[in-house]
Amino acid sequence: MFKMSISANSFAAIAAIFSLLLLSSMQCHAQLSSTFYDRTCPNALTMIRTSVRQAVSRERRMAASLIRLHFHDCFVQGCDASILLDETPTIVSEKTALPNLGSARGYGIIEDAKRELEKTCPGIVSCADILAVAARDASTLVGGPSWAVKLGRRDSTTASHTLAETDLPGPFDPLDRLISGFANKGLSTRDMVALSGAHSIGQAQCFLFRDRIYSNGTDIDAGFASTRRRRCPQEDQNGNLAPLDLVTPNQLDNNYFKNLRQRKGLLQSDQVLLSGGSTDNIVLEYSNSPRAFASDFAAAMIRMGDISPLTGQNGIIRTVCGSIN
C-alpha cells in the first residue's frame, strides 16, 4: 500500500513537471523572435529587402507608405495583416475605411515580396511579418534607423472596417486624444511622439491640412501657410499633395521636430505636439538630438510590432496576402 502511494505521487509529480514543460514550450513558441525564420526560410529577410529596395528606388515616397501600412495594420486588431485583405462577401475590407481609402499604398509591394517567398518557402512567412520587415527596410533606405524585427506573427482571417474607422489616430486629433489612442495600444506618450516623426517623410492630401493653412492661427508660420495655399485652394483639388517636411521630404530624420519649433507642422496633429502641453519637452529633445530620435523611433517601432500578434496555432499563413487561403 505504501509502495503504491509513492508510485502514485511520483506519477503525479512527473505529470505536473511534464505539464509545466509543455506550457513553457508553448509560451516560448508564442513569443516573437528575430531568428524565427533562420531555419525554415533563411533568405526571407533578404528577399523582402530586395522587393522594398526596388520599390523605394522607383519612388522614394513609397518608404513612407510602407511604414504607414505597418502602422495602420498594427493599430487595427493587432499586427495581423488584416489591412491587406480585399473585400469579399464575408469580409468588409479595411482598405475602404476612411483613414485608408485613397491614401494607403504599397499593397502591391507586399504581394510581390510574398509571391517570391512562396516560390522558395511556401506557406512559411506570414504577410504580417513581411509588413513589419518592409517597414524597417523602408526606414533604413531613406536614412532612418534600423532595428532587429521580431518575427513569428501569423495572419488573421478577418478584417475590421469598423475599428479602422475608430482606432487609427486622425490628422485633426487634439493632443489628449492622440495620447490616449496610443496608450490604448500599450504605447507611451514618448512612443507616440517618436512615431509621429515618421512624418519626416511622405506627403498629405490638401483636404487634410486645408483648415490649418487658412486659419490664420497663431500656431502656424504665415509664410509656410502662404506657400502651402498655392497648391491647396480653399475649394476643390482635395487630392493635391504636399510634403509633410519641406526641408528633407525624402529623408527620415529629426527635421520634422525642427519644423514644429518654427510652427511649420503641416497637419494639426503634428503641430499639437508642440503647443504648450506634455509633449513639448520630447519634441525639443528630438529636435536637438538626431540620435535620441533615431533610437526612440526604432524602439517604438519594435513595441508597435508587438501589438496583439497572432502566434502559435492562432491565425494562418496566407498564400496570397489579399485573400484567405
Side-chain angles (χ1 to χ4, degrees):
M1 188 76 176
F2 181 65
K3 285 185 178 178
M4 287 180 64
S5 175
I6 292 175
S7 177
N9 287 340
S10 297
F11 180 79
I14 292 169
I17 291 171
F18 179 76
S19 295
L20 286 170
L21 288 172
L22 182 62
L23 178 60
S24 176
S25 173
M26 290 172 64
Q27 288 174 336
C28 288
H29 186 63
Q31 291 174 349
L32 302 182
S33 164
S34 60
T35 60
F36 189 82
Y37 297 114
D38 281 8
R39 291 186 179 180
T40 55
C41 192
N43 294 324
L45 271 64
T46 301
M47 295 172 73
I48 296 169
R49 184 171 181 81
T50 297
S51 293
V52 174
R53 183 189 292 115
Q54 290 171 349
V56 174
S57 67
R58 288 193 299 267
E59 182 193 6
R60 296 278 286 182
R61 181 187 165 209
M62 188 54 72
S65 298
L66 289 170
I67 293 171
R68 185 172 184 256
L69 204 57
H70 179 43
F71 169 53
H72 279 217
D73 178 41
C74 290
F75 263 58
V76 180
Q77 61 181 42
C79 306
D80 60 0
S82 61
I83 193 173
L84 303 178
L85 286 171
D86 293 323
E87 197 92 4
T88 72
T90 58
I91 293 174
V92 183
S93 177
E94 293 169 22
K95 293 180 179 181
T96 58
L98 284 176
N100 297 323
L101 186 62
S103 64
R105 306 164 71 241
Y107 301 114
I109 311 305
I110 305 302
E111 289 288 10
D112 289 345
K114 178 63 172 173
R115 194 177 305 112
E116 292 304 310
L117 286 163
E118 284 299 301
K119 294 176 185 176
T120 307
C121 316
I124 298 296
V125 183
S126 70
C127 300
D129 277 347
I130 297 173
L131 276 170
V133 175
R136 186 273 310 276
D137 292 344
S139 170
T140 60
L141 287 167
V142 290
S146 182
W147 56 91
V149 180
K150 293 195 281 185
L151 304 163
R153 301 168 191 81
R154 289 167 67 85
D155 300 325
S156 68
T157 56
T158 62
S160 180
H161 182 101
T162 301
L163 290 178
E165 300 244 314
T166 59
D167 283 17
L168 287 164
F172 311 110
D173 284 354
L175 183 59
D176 59 346
R177 188 178 300 170
L178 289 171
I179 291 172
S180 63
F182 278 74
N184 289 340
K185 304 299 177 183
L187 297 171
S188 69
T189 299
R190 194 173 183 88
D191 290 332
M192 184 270 289
V193 178
L195 291 171
S196 297
H199 282 186
S200 170
I201 53 176
Q203 302 185 57
Q205 297 180 74
C206 168
F207 77 96
L208 296 174
F209 58 85
R210 176 181 282 124
D211 288 350
R212 175 161 161 73
I213 62 173
Y214 286 99
S215 68
N216 295 316
T218 58
D219 66 341
I220 186 167
D221 177 83
F224 173 75
S226 176
T227 301
R228 293 276 62 87
R229 287 177 196 148
R230 293 173 194 165
R231 282 191 43 79
C232 185
Q234 284 189 284
E235 296 180 4
D236 302 323
Q237 300 186 44
N238 285 341
N240 281 7
L241 296 170
L244 288 156
D245 171 15
L246 272 173
V247 185
T248 53
N250 292 312
Q251 191 82 3
L252 182 50
D253 55 27
N254 71 328
N255 266 317
Y256 167 82
F257 300 101
K258 294 179 181 179
N259 293 338
L260 298 185
R261 296 184 70 167
Q262 298 174 34
R263 295 177 296 131
K264 294 179 179 179
L266 186 62
L267 303 177
Q268 189 60 42
S269 57
D270 291 325
Q271 196 60 53
V272 77
L273 300 180
L274 187 65
S275 57
S278 60
T279 54
D280 284 12
N281 287 339
I282 307 172
V283 170
L284 296 176
E285 179 185 349
Y286 291 161
S287 71
N288 290 322
S289 175
R291 182 174 297 182
F293 164 60
S295 175
D296 284 3
F297 181 79
M301 287 294 289
I302 292 171
R303 280 190 283 273
M304 188 181 79
D306 283 341
I307 299 175
S308 305
L310 298 171
T311 58
Q313 298 303 308
N314 297 316
I316 62 172
I317 303 297
R318 290 189 218 138
T319 304
V320 175
C321 292
S323 61
I324 306 301
N325 301 346

